[in-house]
């Protein structure tokens, strides 16, 4: 456990639970919590999706960064590109301090559903072709 993590743990025990918005996280904390690699977190930082503060080479993530990471991963799960996610997050930031969320319109949702359905059709066709080829080979 790092010195900052030990110190943070000790402070929690002495002072009670911290308010969620005041919490800070190390890169390893978020990596473990969200099951993403350190490299992915650094990549999201390079892309401007996360903006941890730095103490030397150590990255310190805020509760806002943690919330943004959660939204980024949800957007990826829904099949959006990082550019699309960043655009939605930026439009969210302009909307005020209501929390981090993907700003999805009905039109955007319908487009994504159509895109995913097309991908599903392509995947099903590829699977059918592979099964047919396998059947020929097995005989």
């Amino acid at each position: 456990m790092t010195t900052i993590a030990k110190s943070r743990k000790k402070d929690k025990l002495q002072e009670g639970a911290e308010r969620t918005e005041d919490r800070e996280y190390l890169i390893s904390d978020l990596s473990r919590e969200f099951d993403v690699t350190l490299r992915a977190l650094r990549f999201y930082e390079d892309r401007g999706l996360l903006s941890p503060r730095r103490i030397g080479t150590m990255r310190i993530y805020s509760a806002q960064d943690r919330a943004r990471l959660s939204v980024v991963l949800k957007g990826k799960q829904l099949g959006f590109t990082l550019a699309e996610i960043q655009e939605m997050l930026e439009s969210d930031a302009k909307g005020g301090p209501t929390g981090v969320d993907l700003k999805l319109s009905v039109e955007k949702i319908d487009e994504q559903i159509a895109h995913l359905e097309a991908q599903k059709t392509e995947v099903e066709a590829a699977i059918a072709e592979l099964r047919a080829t396998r059947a020929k080979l097995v005989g």
Side-chain angles (χ1 to χ4, degrees), residues 13-75:
L13 293 172
Q14 291 176 351
E15 300 172 14
E18 293 180 63
R19 292 182 11 205
T20 303
E21 62 271 9
D22 294 338
R23 290 224 30 214
E24 292 183 331
Y25 306 87
L26 298 175
I27 193 168
S28 57
D29 296 332
L30 294 182
S31 174
R32 259 191 309 276
E33 180 179 352
F34 290 98
D35 194 27
V36 295
T37 64
L38 302 178
R39 185 176 180 178
L41 290 169
R42 289 189 291 265
F43 180 74
Y44 296 151
E45 179 184 351
D46 289 343
R47 295 292 303 264
L49 294 165
L50 302 174
S51 51
R53 67 184 176 89
R54 297 232 183 184
I55 299 175
T57 59
M58 188 170 26
R59 291 169 169 85
I60 308 296
Y61 294 87
S62 67
Q64 179 79 2
D65 288 317
R66 182 187 172 281
R68 285 178 67 91
L69 176 58
S70 179
V71 171
V72 167
L73 296 175
K74 183 64 172 178

Side-chain angles (χ1 to χ4, degrees), residues 1 3 15 24 35 38 42 60 62 66 68 72 74 76 92 95 99-101 105 119 125-126 129-130 136 138:
M1 187 178 288
T3 304
E15 300 172 14
E24 292 183 331
D35 194 27
L38 302 178
R42 289 189 291 265
I60 308 296
S62 67
R66 182 187 172 281
R68 285 178 67 91
V72 167
K74 183 64 172 178
K76 283 186 55 174
D92 181 51
V100 179
D101 199 9
S105 64
Q119 282 185 329
E129 186 173 335
L130 286 169
K136 288 178 187 174
V138 173

Side-chain angles (χ1 to χ4, degrees), residues 101-132:
D101 199 9
L102 287 177
K103 290 299 178 195
L104 293 170
S105 64
V106 172
E107 178 183 328
K108 189 73 170 166
I109 291 169
D110 289 343
E111 287 174 9
Q112 191 63 13
I113 289 171
H115 174 71
L116 292 173
E117 285 176 342
Q119 282 185 329
K120 179 182 173 186
T121 300
E122 290 171 10
V123 167
E124 288 171 344
I127 290 170
E129 186 173 335
L130 286 169
R131 284 189 174 139

